[in-house]
């Protein structure tokens, strides 16, 4: 079974830029996987950031952007702020209505 | 304003069947572009997609849990129900429902979750 992979943790300095990635244990991620990204702070429900690779959900600031970098989906946060400190999850569409979450990345802003 | 709210038991015993209800407002379950998904998260662990259902009764299930899951809807009540059989302590998790949106072209569809319910913690223990 194909596993969706994410960095377990990442850190960024306030005001800095960070790129989180979402890959496959076997194969490359392309736009055909329609990656989406979700932010979750402890104790809260997830919040939708990006869908269909690079479309921002309503109300999401343009500091958050999605793309395909090489063989992975990517979420880039520019001008990192303290309240960006969260867990970030990607989801890939595997076809036939099947969606798979990655293991999540814990982002620290310090 | 779109909202989703999960309801169901807080505690279930091993081998029992879990039944969760998601009550939605602000959109209709008869909207062809929108459906409801269930997603769960064990304490301290990652999110896991379980199932979704659309207005035409199209359903999809997680490959690993398909044999234990059933999703259904009552459009008149704006409710989606998920049942999971043979519960085990490893199924202890916060269960979320989320609206799932779908956009289809002639060749493919894509999906995303937005918004999410607040989640309900289900503990499996004797």
């Amino acid at each position: 079974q194909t596993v969706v992979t994410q960095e377990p943790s990442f850190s960024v300095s306030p005001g800095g830029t960070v790129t989180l990635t979402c890959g496959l244990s076997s194969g490359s991620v392309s736009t055909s996987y329609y990656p989406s990204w979700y932010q979750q702070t402890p104790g809260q429900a997830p919040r939708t950031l990006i869908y269909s690779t690079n479309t921002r959900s309503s109300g999401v600031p343009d500091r958050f952007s999605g793309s395909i970098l090489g063989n992975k989906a990517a979420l880039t946060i520019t001008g990192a702020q303290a309240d960006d400190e969260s867990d970030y999850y990607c989801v890939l569409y595997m076809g036939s209505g099947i969606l798979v979450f990655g293991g999540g990345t814990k982002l620290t802003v310090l | 304003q779109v909202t989703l709210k999960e309801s169901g038991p807080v505690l279930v015993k091993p081998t029992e069947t879990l039944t969760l209800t998601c009550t939605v407002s602000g959109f209709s379950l008869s909207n062809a572009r929108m459906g409801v998904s269930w997603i769960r998260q064990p304490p301290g662990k990652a999110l896991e997609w379980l199932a979704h259902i659309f207005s035409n009764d199209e359903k999809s299930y997680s490959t690993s849990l398909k044999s234990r899951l059933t999703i259904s809807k009552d459009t008149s009540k704006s409710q989606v129900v998920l049942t999971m059989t043979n519960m085990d302590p490893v199924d202890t998790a916060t269960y979320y429902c989320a609206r799932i949106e779908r956009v289809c072209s002639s060749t493919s569809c894509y999906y995303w979750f937005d918004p999410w319910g607040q989640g309900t913690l289900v503990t499996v223990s004797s």
Side-chain angles (χ1 to χ4, degrees):
Chain A
Q1 183 174 338
T2 301
V3 174
V4 178
T5 61
Q6 296 185 247
E7 299 88 356
S9 62
F10 230 115
S11 63
V12 61
S13 300
T17 295
V18 62
T19 297
L20 312 180
T21 68
C22 175
L24 289 169
S25 58
S26 176
S28 299
V29 177
S30 67
T31 55
S32 298
Y33 284 87
Y34 301 106
S36 54
W37 292 89
Y38 304 87
Q39 176 192 47
Q40 186 182 35
T41 53
Q44 300 296 314
R47 168 198 181 198
T48 306
L49 296 176
I50 301 284
Y51 60 91
S52 186
T53 306
N54 57 14
T55 303
R56 272 185 296 276
S57 184
S58 176
V60 174
D62 59 8
R63 302 188 297 106
F64 294 88
S65 62
S67 64
I68 300 292
L69 286 181
N71 61 351
K72 297 182 178 182
L75 173 71
T76 299
I77 307 171
T78 57
Q81 301 176 359
D83 60 5
D84 294 334
E85 188 161 292
S86 302
D87 294 327
Y88 291 85
Y89 293 92
C90 68
V91 173
L92 299 181
Y93 177 55
M94 299 302 190
S96 302
I98 305 296
L99 297 152
V100 178
F101 278 88
T105 297
K106 183 177 183 63
L107 180 67
T108 302
V109 180
L110 52 73
Chain B
Q1 181 189 4
V2 174
T3 63
L4 302 96
K5 187 172 178 61
E6 305 88 351
S7 57
V10 173
L11 179 67
V12 297
K13 291 181 168 55
T15 75
E16 288 186 340
T17 294
L18 171 68
T19 299
L20 294 171
T21 300
C22 178
T23 302
V24 310
S25 64
F27 74 101
S28 172
L29 295 178
S30 62
N31 186 319
R33 209 185 106 148
M34 298 174 182
V36 171
S37 267
W38 285 95
I39 297 131
R40 71 177 180 178
Q41 185 173 39
K45 295 189 177 181
L47 296 162
E48 178 183 18
W49 172 76
L50 299 177
H52 62 236
I53 187 168
F54 283 92
S55 61
N56 60 353
D57 220 37
E58 176 187 328
K59 304 167 188 175
S60 295
Y61 295 99
S62 161
T63 303
S64 59
L65 293 167
K66 184 173 184 176
S67 63
R68 299 174 53 205
L69 296 173
T70 302
I71 192 169
S72 62
K73 64 179 174 66
D74 185 331
T75 303
S76 65
K77 292 183 178 179
S78 295
Q79 291 181 333
V80 172
V81 174
L82 181 76
T83 62
M84 180 181 291
T85 60
N86 195 25
M87 293 293 284
D88 183 272
V90 300
D91 296 313
T92 294
T94 295
Y95 287 76
Y96 295 98
C97 63
R99 185 177 67 176
I100 182 168
E101 295 201 50
R102 172 176 63 181
V103 173
C104 295
S105 67
S106 58
T107 55
S108 66
C109 297
Y110 63 89
Y111 307 80
W112 71 98
F113 311 115
D114 193 19
W116 298 59
Q118 65 190 22
T120 185
L121 176 61
V122 177
T123 300
V124 184
S125 174
S126 54

